[in-house]
Amino acid sequence: MISRRHLLTGATLLAASAAIPRAWAQAPSGPYKLDPLPYAPSKNEPHIDAQTMEIHHDKHHAAYVNNLNAALAQNAEAAKMPLQDMLANLSKVPESIRTAVRNNGGGHANHTMFWQIMGGSGGEPSGEVKAAIDRDLGGFQKFQTDFNTAGERQFGSGWVFVTVTRDGKLALVAKPNQDTPLMEGQRVLMGNDVWEHAYYLKYQNRRPDYLKAWWNVLDWNRIGQRYAAAKAGTLTV
Ligand code: MN
């Protein structure tokens, strides 16, 4: 009796642990890898603390990459597609791995963009990006207010993005979970992660404070490069 009861408990625990994202696990072989952060984790202090950056990149982003590779290990055909093409054609991805690709492929694309556009010193955009914000988003101040409001209103987990067309036209869009405008074949200029894991250590429940502080770490030079790449048709994720 005792041994059977213990065996059942052990089996239940094993099943439960298998469902937990295993950031600590050895990455399965696969087409995707986690690039290092392009700057020190402390670079965005004091607005985003180093520990949040480390856990966010080393654990959360790593888990998306590992889980994406694990899903694609079951499908050689899907594994050959560039990430942005796979996300834009989820209906062509086998149903057995579609949800895993959507969540983890979206997570990988979103976080790859996210690290790129931070590590800067904030301030205001200039040049073509400033002109596009003035033309399409009502100017920088209105853009910031509308962007932060969209972030506050996103129920649960998700992202706020600025999309950019090949003609350079900008639009604001919020998405749940790890969904991305890439899934509609669009391109993303920039975006902010409003999952609690992005801010909870420092800001707890104060998402609006995090949203306001985030602007201080943007790298507008890098965002300008993404804008130019979008217009040249070379922006991927
Ligand atoms: Mn995140």
Side-chain angles (χ1 to χ4, degrees), residues 61 83 87 105-115 159 161 177-182 188 191 237:
H61 189 176
L83 181 58
L87 293 173
H108 182 37
N110 287 338
H111 289 85
T112 299
M113 172 279 298
F114 190 54
W115 312 133
W159 288 76
F161 298 100
N177 305 316
Q178 292 296 349
D179 283 359
T180 154
L182 296 172
V188 170
V237 297

Side-chain angles (χ1 to χ4, degrees), residues 188-205:
V188 170
L189 177 67
M190 58 189 283
N192 194 2
D193 186 345
V194 300
W195 283 57
E196 284 185 346
H197 68 224
Y199 62 85
Y200 209 84
L201 286 180
K202 184 177 175 70
Y203 295 95
Q204 294 86 45
N205 60 318

Side-chain angles (χ1 to χ4, degrees), residues 138-213:
F140 188 57
Q141 285 205 337
K142 182 178 187 321
F143 163 50
Q144 279 187 307
T145 302
D146 291 347
F147 189 100
N148 289 352
T149 299
E152 288 170 31
R153 286 184 183 165
Q154 176 58 41
F155 182 76
S157 299
W159 288 76
V160 184
F161 298 100
V162 176
T163 58
V164 55
T165 67
R166 188 75 193 264
D167 297 330
K169 184 164 173 51
L170 306 181
L172 200 58
V173 60
K175 295 276 184 190
N177 305 316
Q178 292 296 349
D179 283 359
T180 154
L182 296 172
M183 291 168 184
E184 281 108 51
Q186 298 180 326
R187 287 294 175 266
V188 170
L189 177 67
M190 58 189 283
N192 194 2
D193 186 345
V194 300
W195 283 57
E196 284 185 346
H197 68 224
Y199 62 85
Y200 209 84
L201 286 180
K202 184 177 175 70
Y203 295 95
Q204 294 86 45
N205 60 318
R206 304 186 305 280
R207 188 192 283 183
D209 291 352
Y210 159 72
L211 283 160
K212 278 188 199 121

Side-chain angles (χ1 to χ4, degrees), residues 6-17:
H6 282 187
L7 273 173
L8 280 173
T9 308
T12 307
L13 284 172
L14 197 65
S17 68

Side-chain angles (χ1 to χ4, degrees), residues 124-140 170 220 224 227:
E124 297 203 10
S126 59
E128 283 197 54
V129 173
K130 174 184 162 42
I133 288 171
D134 287 346
R135 181 191 63 218
D136 300 330
L137 301 173
F140 188 57
L170 306 181
W220 284 109
Y227 187 76

Side-chain angles (χ1 to χ4, degrees), residues 17-38:
S17 68
I20 295 168
R22 291 154 64 221
W24 43 267
Q26 185 71 33
S29 59
Y32 293 97
K33 67 179 173 61
L34 179 67
D35 287 328
L37 268 182

